[in-house]
Each structure stands twice: as structure tokens, then as C-alpha cells.
Amino acid sequence: MDDRVAAFHRLHEDGCFVMPNPWDAGSARVLEQLGFPALATTSAGFAWTRGAPDAGVGLEEVLDHLGAVAAAVAVPVNADFEGGYAVDPEGVAAHVSRAVTTGVAGLSIEDSTGDPDRPLHDLGLAVERVRAAREAIDASGTGVLLTGRSEGFVVGRPDLDETLRRLVAYAEAGADCLYAPRLASLEQVAAVVEAVAPKPVNLLVNAPFTTVAEAAAVGVRRISVGGTLARAAWGGWLAAAREMAEAGTFTRFDALPDVDALLAPHR
């Protein structure tokens, strides 16, 4: 097992760690310098760099992106692998087999369809997709950590009982970590933790509704932020660009970071 894969598994054994989401190699390097023990890609943040909305980038570009981010840092990188870029389990398995060769230490498979009329895959198919990812990872011998995601709270189906049912099924199908983005309260998070125990749970924090200490207290093992850091960056430059366009002033150009210094070789 690769050292970074082994380190990623160890991070999931106890405690609670923050795994922020860079959107390119530069942001990944800076987050590593800030001391985070692992990083995760963001499908949304990367898509925005390509001039596309979330889920608007194809498999080949994503695989190149995963390789670039993993190569830029020494810490483990988890891949936001969306739905595996396929519907059928065979396609998911084939694409996961390629993803684990990019240098990532983990990857997630989600159950959303992109169809607003039927936003989640039927449970049977969703379970088979997770199982196919598990089998592909096992066949690769890489030990890459598999996260099973249920997207009900993202796609307008905020049914906690159904989410719990799905996450338990994904755990039984071989997911190492479980994740339901956009849960609405720590009480719901605690219910997920209890349902899938002893397997670890990832919590999305995309608004200041909790702290690391509070999340750890309800049993969360891993915290990610999705595209929120990327949106924060977009917010800063968009405000500066609008000021230039609308007022003809440049007040937001004060006290900016020395990005060259941040990215200069430091090893």
C-alpha cells in the first residue's frame, strides 16, 4: 500500500481532521503548507476553472486534474469522483480502476442522477455501483479509501430515514467512509454517525454552522468544505472586478498576499 494511502487510512481511525478542498495544484500546495493532513478535490471548484458548472467536466479532464493535484503535494488527496462518470456498475468499476492510478489516496462515489425528476438512483442500483467501486479498488491492490455518498439533501430529497438507509447499505457494500452532504443539523449528523458506526463519517461544512470541536463531539471523523473555499476566492476577486467596472476604483487591491512567496520552492 502506498504511504499516502496508508496515512489516509490512519487518519480515519480516531479523532477528527479537516480535509479542505483545493481546486488546482497551487491552492493544494498552499493548503498543504498550512498544515492540513489531507486534501480533497472539488468537482465544482475545478469545473469553474474550466468555465463550466459543477458536473460539467468530463472524465478525461478530471483524471488529469486528479493526477496534477496529487503530484503537487505530499499529503493524501481524496478525489471527488462524482458518480463515477457512468451509470452502470461496470462503467463505474472501469473508471474507478483508472482513477486509482492517478495518485489519489481516496475517492467518493455518489448516488445522484442529474435528473430532477428522479434525482437519486434506485437503491439497488446505487448499492451495486458502490460495490463495483469496492471491487475495482480491491482488484487494483492500491487500498484507496472508498467513500459512499448519498445526495438526498443536495437534490431536494431531505429525508433523513432514507439517507440513513442508503448510507448503511453503502457501508455494507464496502464503503470505508460515509457522507451525506448538506445535512441540516448536528442532530442529523449524530444520527448518521450512530447508524453507520463503527465506520467513519465525513461532514460537509459549507457555512459557519459548527466548529471542529462540535463536530468531533458528535463523532464526526472527517470534515470537508466542498466548493466553498473556491467560492470564497471567487467572492474576493468578483468584488474587486465589480468595483473596477462600476466605480473605477481599486480599493480592494490593498493588503494582498504575496502569492509568489507562497508558491516558491520551500523544500
Side-chain angles (χ1 to χ4, degrees):
M1 184 182 291
D2 178 87
D3 288 346
R4 288 195 291 180
V5 175
F8 199 43
H9 277 272
R10 287 194 297 272
L11 283 170
H12 289 76
E13 292 174 0
D14 55 54
C16 180
F17 68 98
V18 179
M19 182 181 72
N21 303 70
W23 55 92
D24 61 9
S27 57
R29 284 191 55 197
V30 173
L31 289 171
E32 179 186 29
Q33 289 178 41
L34 292 175
F36 292 102
L39 307 175
T41 65
T42 159
S43 61
F46 174 57
W48 299 335
T49 71
R50 308 301 292 173
D54 193 11
V57 180
L59 174 66
E60 299 303 326
E61 282 186 280
V62 169
L63 292 172
D64 288 345
H65 172 63
L66 297 180
V69 173
V73 295
V75 296
V77 173
N78 188 73
D80 178 350
F81 206 52
E82 299 191 56
Y85 301 88
V87 172
D88 59 288
E90 295 78 12
V92 171
H95 296 163
V96 166
S97 295
R98 296 183 64 190
V100 299
T101 70
T102 63
V104 298
L107 62 81
S108 59
I109 295 294
E110 60 192 54
D111 57 8
S112 59
T113 65
D115 179 355
D117 295 325
R118 296 186 64 188
L120 297 175
H121 289 298
D122 291 340
L123 180 58
L125 175 59
V127 168
E128 288 306 311
R129 286 159 44 81
V130 172
R131 184 172 289 117
R134 171 81 273 154
E135 292 173 354
I137 291 170
D138 291 347
S140 74
T142 60
V144 163
L145 189 140
L146 175 62
T147 296
R149 290 178 51 156
S150 188
E151 305 290 296
F153 281 77
V154 176
V155 300
R157 297 290 189 274
D159 183 331
L160 181 60
D161 289 340
E162 176 64 13
T163 297
L164 295 177
R165 186 164 75 107
R166 285 172 175 265
L167 292 179
V168 168
Y170 302 161
E172 293 172 349
D176 300 301
C177 181
L178 290 308
Y179 180 19
R182 298 190 190 173
L183 293 173
S185 70
L186 284 179
E187 289 76 17
Q188 291 177 335
V189 176
V192 169
V193 170
E194 181 179 2
V196 304
K199 292 197 174 182
V201 168
N202 185 96
L203 171 64
L204 172 69
V205 177
N206 63 349
F209 72 92
T210 191
T211 66
V212 174
E214 290 169 346
V218 300
V220 168
R221 187 61 46 79
R222 188 176 91 187
I223 296 172
S224 60
V225 299
T228 311
L229 275 179
R231 286 195 294 121
W234 276 78
W237 81 258
L238 189 57
R242 282 176 171 160
E243 180 190 349
M244 288 190 295
E246 296 168 6
T249 56
F250 305 89
T251 64
R252 295 179 184 272
F253 288 1
D254 188 34
L256 296 177
D258 183 344
V259 180
D260 271 349
L262 287 170
L263 295 177
H266 61 281
R267 288 201 255 275

